[in-house]
Amino acid sequence: GICLLLGVGFLVGQISKKTLIAAGLAFGFSFLFRFQMGVVFVGPILWLLLVKKQKFKNVFLFGFSILVPIAIGIGLDRWFYGNWVLSSWNYFNIQILQDTVNGFGTSPWYDYFPLIIEGAWEPIGWIIVGLSILFLVRNPKHIYLWIIVPFILIHASIPHKELRFLFPLVGLVPLMILESFDWISNRFNRHK
């Protein structure tokens, strides 16, 4: 979660080669700490190309920077396992392709909404979900949308669901809630 926040933080400001490298490294380390974060890479790459209109060489620099920590992880796996192992692939193969994750129970695609609402204590959960959706709908070009939507869609498509699978996104939620609350507050103040 912290590496995701760092990566997003580098991209939200003025984009330069240094910030693209720093963001890529942060995203790469987020993958090493939690393989599910690989789902997140596509969003920022598309956002850089389509929204920020970055040159392909800058997007390539970002993507290459993501690969550096992943290569370090592969080297560490080689060192500790004693042979070449791609632990991220093994994780994906066993959990998803061999479908062992669903042995822990399955839920419908929409079950993350009740999990969030109940997990955050019901009245607060409704506020979190509502204000987060409001932020995403109001800001279709914001990088948060390009990260959160693919992450949630992929996780919703996997039948086994646990609230902890969404924890990497938790750091983005307060920022979305505050901005949505500010927007609502300004709308009410305008009508006074």
Side-chain angles (χ1 to χ4, degrees):
I2 291 172
C3 290
L4 175 65
L5 279 175
L6 283 172
V8 170
F10 288 122
L11 293 178
V12 168
Q14 183 67 31
I15 295 178
S16 67
K17 289 183 179 178
K18 287 181 183 178
T19 59
L20 288 170
I21 291 169
L25 291 171
F27 277 98
F29 280 112
S30 75
F31 176 77
L32 282 185
F33 297 134
R34 191 173 185 97
F35 295 140
Q36 297 90 331
M37 296 307 291
V39 173
V40 172
F41 299 162
V42 175
I45 290 170
L46 291 175
W47 179 78
L48 286 167
L49 286 170
L50 302 174
V51 176
K52 288 300 190 177
K53 309 284 190 218
Q54 289 290 306
K55 294 177 183 174
F56 182 76
K57 67 179 183 178
N58 288 344
V59 177
F60 179 81
L61 182 63
F62 171 72
F64 183 79
S65 299
I66 290 172
L67 295 177
V68 171
I70 294 172
I72 291 170
I74 292 170
L76 289 172
D77 282 348
R78 167 71 173 102
W79 181 27
F80 286 113
Y81 286 115
N83 57 357
W84 290 106
V85 175
L86 193 55
S87 55
S88 56
W89 169 255
N90 291 344
Y91 177 85
F92 177 76
N93 181 33
I94 291 169
Q95 294 292 330
I96 304 301
L97 298 180
Q98 294 181 26
D99 201 28
T100 59
V101 69
N102 292 331
F104 298 101
T106 61
S107 304
W109 68 268
Y110 55 83
D111 207 39
Y112 275 118
F113 293 109
L115 283 173
I116 294 168
I117 291 166
E118 294 166 9
W121 187 57
E122 199 157 334
I124 294 172
W126 281 106
I127 293 168
I128 290 171
V129 170
L131 292 177
S132 296
I133 290 172
L134 175 65
F135 175 87
L136 295 174
V137 169
R138 287 193 60 256
N139 299 285
K141 292 184 176 182
H142 200 287
I143 190 167
Y144 289 6
L145 178 122
W146 292 76
I147 289 172
I148 291 171
V149 170
F151 190 86
I152 290 179
L153 288 176
I154 294 295
H155 280 80
S157 71
I158 298 169
H160 179 68
K161 292 168 185 57
E162 293 181 37
L163 188 56
R164 67 185 177 94
F165 296 158
L166 301 182
F167 281 2
L169 303 178
V170 166
L172 303 176
V173 173
L175 304 170
M176 293 189 301
I177 289 171
L178 289 172
E179 189 166 318
S180 292
F181 184 74
D182 187 50
W183 180 79
I184 292 168
S185 175
N186 287 336
R187 301 265 307 173
F188 279 114
N189 289 334
R190 224 181 292 150
H191 296 296
K192 284 184 177 181

